[in-house]
Amino acid sequence: MEKILFQCDYNEGAHPSILRRLAETNLEQTPGYGEDVYCAQAAEKIRLSCGDDSLAVHFLVGGTQTNLTVIDAALRPHQGVLCAETGHINVHETGAVEACGHKVLGLPSRDGKITAEDIRKACESHRDSDSFEHMVQPGMVYLSNPTELGTIYSAKELQKIYEVCSEYGVYLFLDGARLGYGLAAPDNDLTLPLIARYTDVFYIGGTKVGALFGEAVVIRNEALKKDFRYLIKQKGGMLAKGRLLGLQFDQLFTDGLYLELSSHAIRLAERIREAIDEKGWPYLVENRTNQIFPIVPDEALEKLGERFCYSYDHRVDETHSAVRFCTSWAAREENVEALCAAIREV
Amino acid sequence: MEKILFQCDYNEGAHPSILRRLAETNLEQTPGYGEDVYCAQAAEKIRLSCGDDSLAVHFLVGGTQTNLTVIDAALRPHQGVLCAETGHINVHETGAVEACGHKVLGLPSRDGKITAEDIRKACESHRDSDSFEHMVQPGMVYLSNPTELGTIYSAKELQKIYEVCSEYGVYLFLDGARLGYGLAAPDNDLTLPLIARYTDVFYIGGTKVGALFGEAVVIRNEALKKDFRYLIKQKGGMLAKGRLLGLQFDQLFTDGLYLELSSHAIRLAERIREAIDEKGWPYLVENRTNQIFPIVPDEALEKLGERFCYSYDHRVDETHSAVRFCTSWAAREENVEALCAAIREV
Amino acid sequence: MEKILFQCDYNEGAHPSILRRLAETNLEQTPGYGEDVYCAQAAEKIRLSCGDDSLAVHFLVGGTQTNLTVIDAALRPHQGVLCAETGHINVHETGAVEACGHKVLGLPSRDGKITAEDIRKACESHRDSDSFEHMVQPGMVYLSNPTELGTIYSAKELQKIYEVCSEYGVYLFLDGARLGYGLAAPDNDLTLPLIARYTDVFYIGGTKVGALFGEAVVIRNEALKKDFRYLIKQKGGMLAKGRLLGLQFDQLFTDGLYLELSSHAIRLAERIREAIDEKGWPYLVENRTNQIFPIVPDEALEKLGERFCYSYDHRVDETHSAVRFCTSWAAREENVEALCAAIREV
Amino acid sequence: MEKILFQCDYNEGAHPSILRRLAETNLEQTPGYGEDVYCAQAAEKIRLSCGDDSLAVHFLVGGTQTNLTVIDAALRPHQGVLCAETGHINVHETGAVEACGHKVLGLPSRDGKITAEDIRKACESHRDSDSFEHMVQPGMVYLSNPTELGTIYSAKELQKIYEVCSEYGVYLFLDGARLGYGLAAPDNDLTLPLIARYTDVFYIGGTKVGALFGEAVVIRNEALKKDFRYLIKQKGGMLAKGRLLGLQFDQLFTDGLYLELSSHAIRLAERIREAIDEKGWPYLVENRTNQIFPIVPDEALEKLGERFCYSYDHRVDETHSAVRFCTSWAAREENVEALCAAIREV
């Protein structure tokens, strides 16, 4: 029997309506490199969803590519990017940001988030130093929302962070690889218009939320808009058949599909949480998005592992481990039910 | 009336059988990042086609990404890459190779090709210099086949180039973004096994030959195999749903589809050449692949431009211009007929 | 009254005998870029001091330059360099290593040192990870000796570190910007031959130990020797009048001057320690080299600050601060006496 | 008998008055990293000589370092630097600019110079291209004055180049490694105030004009002034004992020493030209600065080579070669006389 995969949120292909549109338009002839009508259309829908028609929207293929392109576009050579020590760019992108010449300045974090106060301290401490020119200057703040630990920022928190960034002349960049799962969380009060307003640049993840691949970069800051397409091309992120990205985001932003798919994942995640709560297992981090981080007795884990794949985080003590289960837009009810039943049983 | 596009070979989507397979497998769960069964299967078929089961095969999304990843993986910081001045990496990748720290060392070329002798001279001249340590050391040779001007290398030429490279300790890398159109050309005598044998690394282009996107990197040299996946990840080229690449190449390398699609484009290109020959228009460069570079009277061009898109190369004299028409796996007979008729008429 | 500077060890020029030699040879004509007889002579003396005539020796101008050149010469793009979080390359070189594309992988450290066990754990943890290719691969270990906190490695410690590095295929690089002050410390048991044997590459600092400027890089590992001069040139470290470096190191390695100057600094540092000990002030870190890190009552500090410059490290509690006093080859007895008296008095 | 060196202009040390000042101030205590009184004083004198008290002045050690630091400080990642194909950064710096991520965009040049028209064409051709985002954007123009072939720009030429640069939003950077020898040339009409006015940034070379080492960067453009010291530090160009640079430039800009030393070299170069002219040897390039490029019969060359070192440029035909003789601030009358006599005799 094949195991059921819960270890990440990109095990399947795309929402069937996306495949359908790719098929329908397959032999249409369009210009390349994102200068087609579908990209234009998708960008327009995203601007509309964000409530700001001055936004620049670009489509890239994947997350690491997007992160490195945005960050390298923004920073001067002596600048680095502040982020939580657990931030994806600091840990899981094989030094992509450093390969562009910039230091990632990790800040301690318990739950994957950093605060306005953390950022202020880092900027102040840089300014105050006797030898500030011998140290990397913070030039950007990188947040992920949801974070790598599934937590989310509140509207208030984001606004405060943005205000500190503005005060210190530091760009604010929000990685939204799983943005839908944040927006659909029961305890979320952020919206696309708020995010567009309280960041300089952010992206809306498609790869993990219903698309085959694709991330939509949304830029509000004029300085960052300038020449951004050169950067996309140079970093290898400009898809020849750019319309494939346009078509997917056009579909995701038609009739609320993006949020609908996200909500599906959240609903199923909540069921898994119920099973875990009944069991009394604690969490590494509490959150309400599509990533669940229970601390599980090793014996139970072994049992679950016979039928389900999860992602192993770390050993907590001699008999317990922190692991991750993910739901996604594609998670099937019956599989989630099977997992819940198994949790209850072990 | 919509214009018919002949300006490049990536205006359409993918061969229908590829879309079909994406649809069929859409909800299967597979591991990410190219570690799925479809990638393994496609790699195996490519190794078989190349007649060498020791080859490493990796799948990346696009050409610029592939070029920069391969080149950066191969070179030490003080090394550069020799190529024809017209080489794609020297002209049309926004300095992607330089952004990785390496100089592109352009060699003069009339037809997009360079010779074993050109390479020998460049290496000798470096070695002989009084101040060689003050100059970039050639560490790799980059060829494209077909070249940016549609010309191809013969087996003999490639072998000689490879021998010179080996003699000077310089890697040989062949960019096969349009490889199928070279292999299917009437005057070609290269084969995949010969290319695999007489290069250190090359790639088989999918984007321009029937796939939605994708380039298959084939590495023979052991030193280049080491840790290559780290490089793919760092440069942003590791597709989360890697199976999309595996599936496409698996399909292209089933029942000879790759060559079949390539031959289609060549057959139609030959028809366009016939029309041009009848007209007596000369060529910027003679070739038999899918790119055609006639020198056309401006008046005729204006007329053709009403119904067809072509790519403008440069002004040749006051009344003539060099342009490019491309066919592709997706070119339709009726469109090509229409173009041929229009050429004959003007 | 001018204040007396104890904040660092590069406030003065060079040992008078060095200036004398520069003057004597001033109008001699020599070839540039380190290919002169004085560089050859100095390299030979250093090889002799290290007891290994196969060592490659190169002269660079400054420490940051040397660190970035050595590290970039050694690493492939996906590799990073392990070091103590307090390591100079991690904190005080404006991201010079990252600007070459490589992540600095900081390891927690209380006293500026890291252990063989720390390194083993970092390498093991990388290897064991599920997603190791998504993380920076350790390619080198960077130690400074003395460290930024004035501590030193014992021969046994260095040997063990070297053995772990060899086991994991990771280069070991020792930054000896203050090497003399380590070798002259009363509790030191390292020697140049031992360092040459138990590292792949290290350097002997001149800037802080009697020269106007200059660091002598000593390479034992054959792989690192290859083409190193290209790297020096590319990074801007190849002095046109290279003989200035050769002459200085030739002088420092004549009649034991290097160690003599170092011992002078250590002797005076010990006197300052005596005064501090009498006072009962604790140390941030205990060490016996030329940097002294007492924790001083703020009132006392203010008083001392009227006549002496020190380097402020950080606030320890509401009424105490950690500071640094440095002696050097150029420190004058009478100034040290004045400082000691002042400490005793406050 | 030792040969007399004419192959370059950095065979000797420094003007004796410079060594004297280094000796006099040797044991003074000053802060490091260019924040001492001598650097301030030298900067002030340079501002005065340039007639603009808003200029930022920084001191670096060598030319390659200066070039890469200035260029990397100025450009965004997708931008490159236009220069003559013979420009030092394009040929003799081991790809230092590319190692910072930027392409050097070489323009054809017969005499080492480029014109305002060349620059305009390059910028226009970039703008006009269909696929401009796929190509490196010109972000800076690099001139050397005198050029690598000893030629110089007139005030009118420089002004026109600056105007074109301003029109296209491209920085103008002038490499003055041999600036003195240009200013002292009989056919020169440039002055420091004119250069400061008609560039965004330039530097005044010390290494080749009387100093042990050192280049003084002069920045007029406000955007380039920002955070420049971070860049110096990151690239390894911030000398710990920065006063060594300040002292040297202070001396060179006292009592007109810089121009006096330059004029000496020019006077002696003119004598060598007289001997060559008498002989009837043609020149590779005509110029009146300290580099002389005669085309010499190989037989004569062999004879001269017995007593004099020159720099071999290239073979012109079967019996003639282009070579370079340099004079410098340190050239001795009797040596020049000996060379002239030898030329006349062969």
Side-chain angles (χ1 to χ4, degrees):
Chain A
M1 197 177 70
E2 199 104 341
K3 287 192 197 180
I4 302 171
L5 311 189
F6 283 103
Q7 81 267 42
C8 71
D9 33 20
Y10 39 91
N11 294 312
E12 292 88 355
H15 189 260
S17 70
I18 281 179
L19 281 193
R20 204 179 314 126
R21 286 201 70 187
L22 291 181
E24 283 166 11
T25 59
N26 188 45
L27 292 179
E28 283 182 20
Q29 292 195 311
T30 57
Y33 304 117
E35 303 192 301
D36 62 278
V37 64
Y38 297 111
C39 283
Q41 218 166 275
E44 191 48 35
K45 289 185 182 171
I46 287 173
R47 274 189 288 267
L48 213 67
S49 297
C50 294
D52 181 346
D53 58 14
S54 77
L55 299 170
V57 179
H58 299 275
F59 302 103
L60 280 85
V61 171
T64 297
Q65 193 180 86
T66 303
N67 287 333
L68 74 89
T69 303
V70 167
I71 293 169
D72 199 38
L75 299 183
R76 288 190 62 202
H78 61 297
Q79 298 181 319
V81 52
L82 290 165
C83 75
E85 253 173 16
T86 48
H88 207 256
I89 55 168
N90 195 37
V91 183
H92 277 115
E93 303 191 352
T94 322
V97 171
E98 288 85 358
C100 293
H102 303 289
K103 195 179 187 76
V104 177
L105 301 158
L107 299 172
S109 165
R110 204 197 52 78
D111 61 356
K113 293 168 64 179
I114 51 176
T115 67
E117 206 42 44
D118 295 335
I119 296 164
R120 178 184 300 282
K121 265 186 213 156
C123 292
E124 280 294 327
S125 133
H126 179 77
R127 279 197 187 173
D128 284 357
S129 166
D130 270 1
S131 52
F132 60 91
E133 293 159 341
H134 298 232
M135 294 191 286
V136 173
Q137 186 186 70
M140 183 175 245
V141 167
Y142 164 96
L143 307 178
S144 35
N145 187 60
T147 68
E148 295 71 16
L149 291 167
T151 48
I152 56 174
Y153 288 88
S154 70
K156 195 76 204 156
E157 286 170 337
L158 187 65
Q159 183 183 344
K160 274 165 118 177
I161 287 174
Y162 179 68
E163 286 164 2
V164 168
C165 287
S166 302
E167 187 181 335
Y168 288 90
V170 161
Y171 291 117
L172 178 57
F173 169 37
L174 184 144
D175 169 340
R178 294 188 170 95
L179 191 57
Y181 301 133
L183 296 178
D187 54 344
N188 171 64
D189 67 351
L190 270 177
T191 60
L192 284 176
L194 284 171
I195 295 171
R197 182 163 164 195
Y198 292 127
T199 63
D200 293 287
V201 50
F202 74 103
Y203 69 95
I204 302 171
T207 302
K208 290 168 177 161
V209 193
L212 288 173
F213 53 85
E215 319 293 318
V217 177
V218 182
I219 312 179
R220 192 181 47 70
N221 188 305
E222 289 302 320
L224 292 179
K225 288 180 190 170
K226 189 164 159 54
D227 292 344
F228 192 74
R229 277 175 56 83
Y230 283 89
L231 272 288
I232 301 178
K233 177 64 190 169
Q234 180 183 79
K235 305 305 180 193
M238 191 174 277
L239 194 62
K241 302 178 184 174
R243 69 182 191 183
L244 302 176
L245 291 161
L247 275 161
Q248 295 186 81
F249 276 96
D250 186 58
Q251 189 62 21
L252 288 173
F253 278 81
T254 297
D255 297 334
L257 181 61
Y258 189 69
L259 269 186
E260 183 188 320
L261 295 179
S262 302
S263 298
H264 170 82
I266 297 306
R267 194 168 48 80
L268 296 183
E270 294 280 281
R271 291 228 212 123
I272 299 175
R273 275 194 195 87
E274 278 165 36
I276 290 169
D277 289 345
E278 283 176 35
K279 206 70 190 175
W281 294 342
Y283 295 95
L284 179 64
V285 178
E286 301 263 352
N287 75 69
R288 307 286 295 274
T289 61
N290 76 316
Q291 302 177 80
I292 311 159
F293 293 88
I295 294 173
V296 184
D298 293 332
E299 264 178 68
L301 215 44
E302 201 182 335
K303 195 85 189 137
L304 289 174
E306 288 166 13
R307 289 181 50 206
F308 306 97
C309 281
Y310 52 82
S311 159
Y312 191 88
D313 202 87
H314 68 278
R315 171 150 301 287
V316 170
D317 63 32
E318 274 176 36
T319 54
H320 293 79
S321 295
V323 300
R324 184 182 74 164
F325 292 93
C326 289
T327 61
S328 80
W329 63 276
R332 296 199 215 161
E333 304 255 356
E334 62 267 30
N335 287 344
V336 168
E337 285 315 316
L339 175 62
C340 289
I343 289 173
R344 287 183 176 102
E345 270 164 40
V346 291
Chain B
M1 196 176 69
E2 198 104 343
K3 287 192 197 180
I4 303 170
L5 310 188
F6 283 104
Q7 81 267 41
C8 71
D9 33 20
Y10 40 90
N11 294 312
E12 292 88 354
H15 188 259
S17 69
I18 281 180
L19 281 193
R20 203 179 314 127
R21 288 201 68 187
L22 291 181
E24 283 165 11
T25 60
N26 187 44
L27 292 179
E28 284 182 19
Q29 292 194 312
T30 56
Y33 305 117
E35 303 193 301
D36 60 279
V37 65
Y38 297 112
C39 283
Q41 219 166 275
E44 192 47 37
K45 289 186 183 170
I46 286 173
R47 274 190 287 269
L48 214 64
S49 297
C50 294
D52 181 346
D53 58 14
S54 76
L55 299 170
V57 180
H58 300 275
F59 302 103
L60 282 86
V61 173
T64 296
Q65 193 179 86
T66 304
N67 287 332
L68 73 88
T69 304
V70 168
I71 293 169
D72 200 38
L75 299 183
R76 288 190 62 203
H78 61 296
Q79 297 182 320
V81 52
L82 289 165
C83 76
E85 254 174 13
T86 48
H88 207 257
I89 54 169
N90 195 37
V91 183
H92 277 115
E93 304 190 352
T94 321
V97 171
E98 288 85 358
C100 293
H102 303 289
K103 194 180 187 76
V104 178
L105 301 158
L107 297 173
S109 166
R110 203 197 53 79
D111 61 356
K113 294 168 64 178
I114 50 175
T115 67
E117 205 43 43
D118 294 336
I119 296 163
R120 178 183 300 282
K121 265 186 214 154
C123 293
E124 280 294 327
S125 132
H126 179 77
R127 279 198 186 173
D128 284 356
S129 165
D130 270 1
S131 52
F132 60 92
E133 292 159 342
H134 298 232
M135 294 191 287
V136 173
Q137 186 185 71
M140 183 175 246
V141 167
Y142 165 95
L143 306 179
S144 36
N145 187 61
T147 67
E148 294 72 15
L149 291 167
T151 49
I152 56 174
Y153 288 88
S154 71
K156 194 75 203 156
E157 287 170 337
L158 186 64
Q159 182 183 344
K160 275 165 117 177
I161 287 173
Y162 179 68
E163 286 164 2
V164 168
C165 288
S166 303
E167 188 182 334
Y168 287 90
V170 162
Y171 292 117
L172 179 56
F173 170 35
L174 185 144
D175 169 340
R178 294 190 170 94
L179 191 57
Y181 301 134
L183 297 178
D187 54 343
N188 171 64
D189 68 349
L190 271 176
T191 60
L192 283 176
L194 284 172
I195 294 171
R197 183 163 164 196
Y198 293 127
T199 63
D200 293 286
V201 51
F202 73 102
Y203 69 95
I204 302 171
T207 302
K208 291 169 178 159
V209 193
L212 288 173
F213 54 84
E215 320 292 317
V217 177
V218 182
I219 311 180
R220 194 182 45 72
N221 189 305
E222 288 303 319
L224 293 179
K225 289 180 189 170
K226 190 164 160 52
D227 292 345
F228 193 74
R229 277 174 56 84
Y230 285 88
L231 271 287
I232 302 178
K233 177 64 189 168
Q234 181 184 77
K235 306 305 180 192
M238 191 175 277
L239 195 63
K241 301 178 184 174
R243 69 183 190 182
L244 302 177
L245 291 162
L247 276 161
Q248 294 187 79
F249 275 95
D250 186 58
Q251 190 62 21
L252 288 173
F253 279 82
T254 297
D255 297 335
L257 181 62
Y258 189 69
L259 269 185
E260 185 188 319
L261 295 179
S262 302
S263 298
H264 170 81
I266 297 305
R267 195 168 47 81
L268 295 183
E270 294 280 281
R271 289 228 213 124
I272 299 175
R273 276 195 194 88
E274 278 165 37
I276 289 168
D277 290 345
E278 282 176 35
K279 206 71 189 174
W281 294 341
Y283 294 95
L284 179 64
V285 177
E286 302 263 351
N287 75 69
R288 308 286 295 275
T289 62
N290 76 317
Q291 302 178 81
I292 311 160
F293 292 89
I295 295 173
V296 184
D298 293 331
E299 265 178 69
L301 215 45
E302 202 182 335
K303 196 83 190 139
L304 289 174
E306 289 167 12
R307 291 182 50 206
F308 306 96
C309 282
Y310 52 83
S311 158
Y312 191 88
D313 202 85
H314 68 278
R315 172 149 301 286
V316 171
D317 62 33
E318 276 177 35
T319 54
H320 293 80
S321 295
V323 299
R324 185 182 74 164
F325 292 93
C326 287
T327 61
S328 80
W329 64 274
R332 296 200 215 159
E333 303 256 356
E334 63 267 32
N335 287 345
V336 168
E337 284 316 315
L339 175 62
C340 290
I343 289 172
R344 288 185 177 105
E345 270 165 38
V346 291
Chain C
M1 195 176 73
E2 198 101 346
K3 287 192 197 181
I4 302 171
L5 311 188
F6 283 103
Q7 82 267 43
C8 71
D9 34 20
Y10 39 89
N11 294 311
E12 292 88 354
H15 189 260
S17 69
I18 281 180
L19 281 193
R20 203 180 314 124
R21 286 202 68 188
L22 290 181
E24 282 164 12
T25 59
N26 187 45
L27 292 179
E28 284 182 19
Q29 292 195 311
T30 57
Y33 304 116
E35 303 192 302
D36 60 279
V37 64
Y38 297 111
C39 283
Q41 219 167 274
E44 192 48 36
K45 288 184 182 171
I46 286 173
R47 274 190 288 268
L48 213 66
S49 297
C50 293
D52 182 345
D53 58 14
S54 76
L55 299 170
V57 179
H58 300 275
F59 302 102
L60 281 84
V61 172
T64 296
Q65 193 179 87
T66 303
N67 286 332
L68 73 89
T69 303
V70 167
I71 292 169
D72 199 38
L75 299 182
R76 287 191 63 203
H78 60 297
Q79 298 181 318
V81 53
L82 290 164
C83 75
E85 254 173 13
T86 48
H88 206 257
I89 55 168
N90 195 38
V91 183
H92 277 115
E93 303 190 352
T94 322
V97 171
E98 288 85 358
C100 294
H102 303 289
K103 195 179 187 75
V104 177
L105 301 157
L107 298 172
S109 166
R110 206 196 51 77
D111 62 355
K113 292 169 65 178
I114 51 176
T115 67
E117 207 42 44
D118 295 335
I119 296 164
R120 176 183 300 282
K121 265 186 213 155
C123 292
E124 279 295 327
S125 135
H126 179 76
R127 279 197 187 174
D128 284 357
S129 166
D130 270 2
S131 52
F132 59 92
E133 294 157 342
H134 298 231
M135 294 191 287
V136 173
Q137 186 186 70
M140 183 176 244
V141 167
Y142 165 96
L143 306 178
S144 35
N145 188 61
T147 67
E148 295 72 16
L149 291 167
T151 50
I152 56 173
Y153 289 88
S154 72
K156 194 75 202 156
E157 287 170 336
L158 186 65
Q159 182 183 345
K160 274 166 118 177
I161 287 174
Y162 179 68
E163 285 164 2
V164 169
C165 288
S166 303
E167 188 182 334
Y168 287 91
V170 161
Y171 291 117
L172 179 55
F173 169 37
L174 185 145
D175 169 340
R178 294 189 170 94
L179 191 56
Y181 302 133
L183 297 177
D187 54 345
N188 171 64
D189 68 351
L190 270 177
T191 60
L192 283 176
L194 284 171
I195 294 172
R197 183 163 164 196
Y198 292 128
T199 63
D200 293 287
V201 50
F202 74 103
Y203 69 93
I204 302 171
T207 302
K208 291 168 177 160
V209 193
L212 288 173
F213 54 84
E215 319 293 317
V217 176
V218 182
I219 312 179
R220 192 181 47 70
N221 190 305
E222 288 303 319
L224 293 178
K225 287 179 190 171
K226 189 163 160 55
D227 292 345
F228 192 74
R229 277 174 56 83
Y230 284 88
L231 271 288
I232 302 177
K233 177 63 190 169
Q234 180 183 79
K235 305 307 181 192
M238 191 174 277
L239 195 62
K241 301 177 185 175
R243 70 182 191 184
L244 302 176
L245 291 161
L247 276 160
Q248 294 186 81
F249 276 95
D250 186 59
Q251 188 63 20
L252 289 172
F253 278 81
T254 297
D255 297 336
L257 180 61
Y258 189 70
L259 269 186
E260 184 188 320
L261 295 179
S262 302
S263 298
H264 169 82
I266 297 306
R267 194 168 47 80
L268 295 183
E270 294 281 281
R271 289 227 212 127
I272 299 175
R273 276 193 195 87
E274 279 166 36
I276 290 169
D277 289 344
E278 283 177 34
K279 205 72 190 174
W281 294 341
Y283 295 95
L284 179 64
V285 178
E286 302 262 350
N287 75 69
R288 308 286 293 277
T289 61
N290 76 316
Q291 303 177 81
I292 311 159
F293 292 89
I295 295 173
V296 184
D298 293 331
E299 264 179 69
L301 215 44
E302 201 181 334
K303 195 87 190 134
L304 289 174
E306 289 166 13
R307 289 182 50 206
F308 305 96
C309 281
Y310 51 83
S311 158
Y312 191 88
D313 202 84
H314 68 278
R315 170 150 303 287
V316 171
D317 62 33
E318 276 177 34
T319 53
H320 293 80
S321 295
V323 300
R324 184 182 73 164
F325 292 94
C326 288
T327 61
S328 80
W329 64 275
R332 297 199 214 160
E333 304 255 356
E334 63 267 31
N335 288 344
V336 168
E337 284 315 315
L339 174 63
C340 290
I343 288 172
R344 287 185 177 102
E345 271 165 38
V346 290
Chain D
M1 195 178 71
E2 199 102 345
K3 286 192 198 180
I4 302 170
L5 310 189
F6 284 104
Q7 82 267 42
C8 71
D9 33 20
Y10 39 89
N11 293 312
E12 292 88 353
H15 189 259
S17 70
I18 281 180
L19 281 193
R20 204 180 313 126
R21 287 202 67 188
L22 291 181
E24 282 166 12
T25 59
N26 187 46
L27 292 179
E28 285 181 18
Q29 291 194 313
T30 57
Y33 304 117
E35 304 192 301
D36 60 279
V37 64
Y38 297 112
C39 283
Q41 217 167 274
E44 192 48 36
K45 289 185 182 171
I46 287 174
R47 274 190 288 269
L48 213 65
S49 298
C50 294
D52 181 347
D53 58 14
S54 75
L55 299 170
V57 179
H58 299 276
F59 301 103
L60 282 85
V61 172
T64 296
Q65 194 180 86
T66 304
N67 287 332
L68 73 89
T69 303
V70 168
I71 293 170
D72 200 37
L75 298 183
R76 288 191 61 203
H78 61 296
Q79 297 181 319
V81 53
L82 290 165
C83 75
E85 253 172 15
T86 48
H88 207 256
I89 56 169
N90 195 37
V91 183
H92 277 115
E93 303 190 352
T94 322
V97 171
E98 288 85 358
C100 292
H102 303 289
K103 194 179 187 74
V104 178
L105 301 158
L107 298 172
S109 165
R110 205 197 52 77
D111 61 355
K113 293 168 65 178
I114 50 175
T115 67
E117 206 43 43
D118 295 335
I119 295 163
R120 176 182 301 281
K121 264 186 214 156
C123 293
E124 280 295 327
S125 133
H126 179 76
R127 280 198 186 174
D128 284 355
S129 166
D130 270 1
S131 53
F132 59 92
E133 293 158 342
H134 298 232
M135 294 191 286
V136 173
Q137 186 186 71
M140 183 175 244
V141 167
Y142 165 95
L143 306 178
S144 36
N145 187 62
T147 68
E148 294 72 14
L149 290 167
T151 49
I152 56 173
Y153 288 88
S154 71
K156 194 75 203 158
E157 287 170 337
L158 186 64
Q159 182 183 343
K160 275 165 116 177
I161 287 174
Y162 179 68
E163 285 165 1
V164 168
C165 287
S166 302
E167 187 182 334
Y168 287 90
V170 162
Y171 292 118
L172 178 56
F173 170 35
L174 185 145
D175 169 340
R178 294 190 170 95
L179 191 57
Y181 301 134
L183 297 177
D187 54 344
N188 171 64
D189 67 351
L190 271 176
T191 60
L192 283 176
L194 283 172
I195 295 172
R197 183 163 164 195
Y198 292 127
T199 63
D200 293 286
V201 50
F202 74 102
Y203 68 95
I204 302 170
T207 302
K208 291 169 178 161
V209 193
L212 288 173
F213 54 85
E215 320 293 316
V217 176
V218 183
I219 311 180
R220 193 181 45 73
N221 189 305
E222 288 303 319
L224 293 179
K225 287 179 190 171
K226 189 163 161 54
D227 291 346
F228 193 74
R229 275 174 57 84
Y230 285 88
L231 271 288
I232 302 177
K233 177 63 188 168
Q234 180 183 78
K235 305 306 180 192
M238 192 175 275
L239 195 63
K241 301 178 185 176
R243 70 182 192 183
L244 302 176
L245 290 162
L247 276 161
Q248 294 186 80
F249 275 96
D250 186 58
Q251 188 64 21
L252 288 173
F253 278 81
T254 298
D255 298 335
L257 181 61
Y258 190 69
L259 269 186
E260 183 188 320
L261 295 180
S262 302
S263 298
H264 170 82
I266 297 306
R267 194 167 48 80
L268 295 184
E270 293 280 281
R271 290 228 211 124
I272 299 175
R273 275 194 196 87
E274 278 165 36
I276 289 169
D277 289 345
E278 283 177 35
K279 206 69 190 177
W281 293 342
Y283 294 95
L284 180 63
V285 177
E286 302 264 350
N287 75 69
R288 309 285 295 275
T289 60
N290 76 317
Q291 302 178 80
I292 310 160
F293 292 90
I295 295 173
V296 184
D298 292 331
E299 265 179 68
L301 215 46
E302 202 182 334
K303 196 85 189 137
L304 290 173
E306 289 167 13
R307 290 182 51 207
F308 306 96
C309 282
Y310 51 83
S311 160
Y312 191 88
D313 202 85
H314 69 278
R315 171 150 301 287
V316 170
D317 64 32
E318 275 178 34
T319 53
H320 293 79
S321 295
V323 299
R324 183 182 74 164
F325 291 93
C326 289
T327 61
S328 80
W329 64 275
R332 297 199 215 161
E333 303 256 356
E334 62 268 30
N335 287 345
V336 169
E337 284 315 315
L339 175 62
C340 290
I343 288 172
R344 288 184 176 104
E345 269 164 39
V346 291

